[in-house]
Amino acid sequence: MKKLIPLFLLLLSTVVITSCSSDDNSSSINNLNNVEIILTKGKASSLEVNPYGENIDNDLADKFKYSNVNKVNFTLPKHTEYFRLTIQGNQKQFEGYLKINGKTWDFNSLDWYYQGTYYLSDFK
């Protein structure tokens, strides 16, 4: 009987460790909702993000609006499948990138305005 208790504790700790490691895998998926947009040249007089997805509630699909920024961080609503980024620059040329889940995507504009659509599946 005394040998069963350490064996039971070993089995229990193995189950706990295994369940914790599976949670670590799901955290990388959550990183898809964390977005960072950085303008490396110029500034955005207006920056809007519109999230879209089949299962997004209308209350969660509000636009994210920013003014006079060169860097923004935000978290997209759950169930976002893609989003549209619209930037109105304060100078004729601006450049930057967005970063999701450690992956970056460069963008630039030569005419004061940029619009792009980004699918989160591209950043997995």
Side-chain angles (χ1 to χ4, degrees), residues 86-89 91-92 94 108-115:
T86 305
I87 301 174
Q88 177 72 43
Q91 64 186 44
K92 190 168 182 175
F94 61 90
N108 59 49
S109 176
L110 301 176
D111 62 356
W112 304 86
Y113 183 82
Y114 173 80
Q115 186 173 44

Side-chain angles (χ1 to χ4, degrees), residues 45-100:
S45 57
S46 170
L47 187 146
E48 290 186 21
V49 175
N50 298 305
Y52 297 97
E54 189 173 314
N55 296 321
I56 291 183
D57 295 333
N58 287 338
D59 294 340
L60 297 176
D62 292 339
K63 294 180 181 180
F64 296 87
K65 294 182 179 183
Y66 305 92
S67 297
N68 298 317
V69 295
N70 61 1
K71 179 179 180 179
V72 293
N73 296 309
F74 55 88
T75 301
L76 292 168
K78 289 183 180 179
H79 308 296
T80 299
E81 296 172 15
Y82 66 97
F83 64 92
R84 178 168 291 136
L85 170 64
T86 305
I87 301 174
Q88 177 72 43
N90 68 352
Q91 64 186 44
K92 190 168 182 175
Q93 285 186 311
F94 61 90
E95 297 175 2
Y97 64 92
L98 65 95
K99 185 174 183 180
I100 302 173

Side-chain angles (χ1 to χ4, degrees), residues 17-36:
I17 290 171
T18 304
S19 67
C20 289
S21 66
S22 67
D23 289 342
D24 291 341
N25 293 337
S26 66
S27 68
S28 66
I29 293 171
N30 291 339
N31 288 339
L32 290 175
N33 289 352
N34 296 327
V35 179
E36 182 177 15

